[in-house]
Amino acid sequence: MLDLKLTRARVRTLDDDRPHATTVGIVGGRILGFDDDVADLPARTVVDCQGAAVVPGFGDAHNHMAWFGQSLSELPLEDVTTLEGIYDAVAAKARTLPEDAWIVGSGYDDTVMGAHPDRNGLDRAGGGRPVWLKHRSGHMCAVSGAVLRLSGAENAPDPEGGVIVRDSHGDATGLLQERAQELVTALVMPYPVTELADALGRASRVYASEGLTHVVEAGIGHGLVGRSPVEVAAYQLARDRGELLPRVELMVAADNMHPLDAHADDGITTGIDLGLRSGFGDDRLRLGPMKIWLDGSLIGRTAAVTEPLCGHGHGVYQNPPEQMRALVVAAHRAGWRVAAHAIGDDAIDLALDAIEEAQRAHPRPDMRHRIEHAGVVRPDQLPRIAALGAVPVPQPRFLYTVGDAMAASLGPDRVPWLYRHRSFLDHGIRVPGSSDRPVAPGAPLQGMESMVERTSSGGAVLAPGERVTAEQALRAYTIDTAWVGHDEHRRGSLTPGKLADIVVLDRDPVDTAEQGIGSIRVLATLVGGVPVHGADTLGIADTSTALHHT
């Protein structure tokens, strides 16, 4: 007997052997078959989809789940467009808090406001309280004088890989860039596991409502975006509670890597305790690549580029390049997939050099090492990426949310290199869909729309030659996000035997792309055949709490 049968659906499978169907049969969390193969089989639950579109569950190959979940309980600044608006929001929050309480805000954007908040304005607005406002990029923050004093940043030298911005008199302005932010995070981290699990639960509910069935957390533990050295425990707790709704792959930040005393024949000189590496875990929760940050951000103009950014220099490397290159080689040798954060073209050269050296010294075919963001890719780098089997992981929604600012940073000659897609496909390179949420909105359908349209919030079309078709965009967020994690045999398409990760939509994103993919509504989301969103829409009981048993 089937557990669930979906009937009268417009099914787009993304399986070339059987691209369309109208009936889906599910048993044991997997797809059993379609149409005539399952039409006469009894089922515990039958859902009449009434012509709704059914597609594979969406994936996000690069997001920050805990960070996003925590931001949902912080002072929201994404929509604030003026400095006065920032200060007003801080002042309003201050009136609700004790005199010694921290005010923590998320998502401000200096490119919209024309400047960063400064310590003096934050001191006035916060009434002398510690104020910590996180830039939407994650690569900088603005803090009050109280935080500068508590952290020691007021009189400290610039840390390696970071900048404490100072005015013409040498006084700290309150802006901390890149690794200088660790002076502040050291005051508040590690976060408790229970607090992080709560944040993951909040994020999960949003993800489920957007059709996400699998996400990759881009950096846990110590490091730039890590929350706790025992961060995996928070994901395990959220799973045990039944609140971790999507499948999750965890990138381990490079800061967690350390020397290991394994046998000389093992070739494992660097890693994490017990020799755990990429792939450890199961279909619900497992370790993914080792995440290493090479450069900064294009929004903050700290990306490492071969030619200076407009009005700025060549960018910032997080650590000495040779040190980072050696770590990539050591991680590869130990069996880790590598995810190298490289936005500028100079950083991409470094990532490719490291991958090439690693494969030359220790050949491991089909590792699918990743270049996170790959924001500025020169034409000559395209064939090299393809030859090395590297996988670029760009974030298409950046084009809408911050595309105008990025174009201004690059200048017109380099805009055609910006967050490419079509050029990658033309070189035989697969491109998984991702968001970098909360840096940009994470709804996959909005990401697909940006892949197809490449329009900025200001109305500019950025590098129109990099546009792709609606079906290619859908593949990026389904089968290609599965493929980059070596999961294409388990998920990513609706194929008999694969996991029943499914999204039900009010219209088909390929056939109705001209109406705007981003406006399509997610009616229901199923993970392993279990509804995690929209159970009432399907007319069946909400069984999402059963997920922690699977």
Side-chain angles (χ1 to χ4, degrees):
M1 176 177 284
L2 298 173
D3 294 325
L4 177 65
K5 185 191 295 186
L6 304 178
T7 66
R8 287 213 303 155
R10 290 180 292 124
V11 183
R12 184 176 292 275
T13 68
L14 295 185
D15 183 336
D16 293 338
D17 291 336
R18 190 168 194 170
H20 300 283
T22 59
T23 302
V24 186
I26 298 167
V27 65
R30 294 181 180 269
I31 295 169
L32 180 65
F34 302 101
D35 296 345
D36 292 345
D37 296 336
V38 298
D40 296 331
L41 296 179
R44 292 182 177 86
T45 302
V46 178
V47 174
D48 182 349
C49 293
Q50 301 180 51
V54 170
V55 298
F58 301 143
D60 187 332
H62 182 119
N63 92 114
H64 301 283
M65 192 174 188
W67 173 13
F68 172 66
Q70 286 184 301
S71 74
L72 295 175
S73 63
E74 296 170 349
L75 181 63
L77 302 174
E78 295 88 350
D79 298 326
V80 180
T81 58
T82 66
L83 281 176
E84 284 307 312
I86 291 283
Y87 298 138
D88 289 346
V90 170
K93 186 68 174 179
R95 289 192 287 271
T96 70
L97 297 174
E99 291 185 1
D100 60 347
W102 280 63
I103 299 171
V104 182
S106 295
Y108 87 86
D109 188 346
D110 67 295
T111 66
V112 173
M113 300 183 300
H116 293 275
D118 67 44
R119 63 182 295 178
N120 296 324
L122 295 177
D123 284 341
R124 289 191 298 270
R129 294 172 179 78
V131 182
W132 176 25
L133 306 184
K134 305 170 189 177
H135 192 270
R136 70 177 306 157
S137 69
H139 286 263
M140 63 193 88
C141 63
V143 299
S144 64
V147 175
L148 288 173
R149 291 187 291 273
L150 286 169
S151 66
E154 189 162 38
N155 299 310
D158 287 348
E160 187 172 27
V163 178
I164 302 169
V165 176
R166 300 182 183 278
D167 61 22
S168 58
H169 302 290
D171 297 325
T173 66
L175 179 61
L176 306 176
Q177 295 178 319
E178 304 302 342
R179 299 200 80 119
Q181 296 179 97
E182 294 174 1
L183 296 169
V184 180
T185 57
L187 299 173
V188 297
M189 293 184 189
Y191 293 108
V193 164
T194 53
E195 179 180 329
L196 292 174
D198 290 343
L200 295 172
R202 289 193 293 271
S204 284
R205 291 186 287 276
V206 174
Y207 289 7
S209 73
E210 295 171 346
L212 282 163
T213 60
H214 181 276
V215 298
V216 180
E217 166 63 61
I220 62 167
H222 298 290
L224 189 61
V225 296
R227 268 41 198 165
S228 166
V230 294
E231 199 163 345
V232 174
Y235 285 86
Q236 291 177 307
L237 177 58
R239 178 182 177 173
D240 290 344
R241 291 174 173 176
E243 296 177 358
L244 194 67
L245 303 182
R247 306 180 193 278
V248 180
E249 187 175 27
L250 302 170
M251 290 188 191
V252 177
D255 302 67
N256 298 276
M257 300 285 162
H258 55 80
L260 295 174
D261 295 325
H263 192 279
D265 292 346
D266 295 332
I268 302 175
T269 60
T270 301
I272 61 176
D273 291 336
L274 303 179
L276 301 179
R277 60 173 176 83
S278 302
F280 181 82
D282 59 22
D283 285 336
R284 295 289 311 159
L285 181 64
R286 73 166 188 258
L287 296 181
M290 182 273 287
K291 168 71 176 294
I292 183 169
W293 282 265
L294 300 186
D295 64 345
S297 93
L298 195 53
I299 305 171
R301 302 193 178 189
T302 52
V305 289
T306 51
E307 296 294 329
L309 296 168
C310 297
H312 290 260
H314 289 266
V316 174
Y317 276 113
Q318 299 285 341
N319 288 294
E322 285 308 310
Q323 175 185 324
M324 296 188 289
R325 179 170 169 164
L327 182 55
V328 169
V329 174
H332 167 89
R333 184 181 184 190
W336 284 88
R337 286 185 286 127
V338 173
H341 169 113
I343 292 181
D345 61 322
D346 198 60
I348 292 169
D349 280 337
L350 174 60
L352 296 174
D353 288 346
I355 292 170
E356 184 175 14
E357 180 179 340
Q359 289 285 17
R360 183 171 58 247
H362 313 287
R364 293 181 182 273
D366 200 31
M367 284 296 287
R368 304 178 195 177
H369 292 315
R370 304 162 42 131
I371 302 175
E372 305 304 304
H373 310 297
V376 184
V377 179
R378 301 188 312 269
D380 65 287
Q381 291 175 318
L382 293 166
R384 192 176 181 207
I385 293 171
L388 289 171
V391 185
V393 187
Q395 290 69 46
R397 199 60 181 171
F398 281 4
L399 296 167
Y400 180 82
T401 57
V402 292
D404 294 320
M406 293 192 297
S409 294
L410 290 172
D413 291 344
R414 286 180 289 183
V415 167
W417 307 352
L418 181 65
Y419 285 87
R420 294 177 181 269
H421 196 148
R422 166 62 62 188
S423 292
F424 291 136
L425 297 183
D426 289 346
H427 282 77
I429 301 166
R430 297 178 78 156
V431 185
S434 71
S435 68
D436 202 19
R437 190 194 327 235
V439 178
L445 289 162
Q446 291 183 359
M448 293 178 213
E449 182 173 88
S450 287
M451 286 181 177
V452 173
E453 298 181 0
R454 295 187 63 89
T455 303
S456 74
S457 58
V461 178
L462 301 172
E466 294 295 335
R467 286 170 163 166
V468 297
T469 68
E471 183 168 2
Q472 288 167 330
L474 178 60
R475 292 184 67 89
Y477 276 93
T478 52
I479 190 65
D480 290 335
T481 57
W483 174 85
V484 74
H486 291 269
D487 263 357
E488 65 271 24
H489 61 292
R490 284 192 289 241
R491 59 183 178 85
S493 67
L494 302 182
T495 301
K498 286 191 178 183
L499 295 165
D501 295 353
I502 292 171
V503 184
V504 183
L505 306 171
D506 71 336
R507 55 186 173 86
D508 184 276
V510 176
D511 290 342
T512 68
E514 71 283 351
Q515 299 176 36
I517 298 174
S519 63
I520 293 173
R521 289 190 302 119
V522 175
L523 302 178
T525 305
L526 288 75
V527 177
V530 176
V532 295
H533 168 73
D536 53 344
T537 302
L538 295 177
I540 59 180
D542 185 348
T543 55
S544 60
T545 55
L547 282 173
H548 70 288
H549 297 302
T550 62

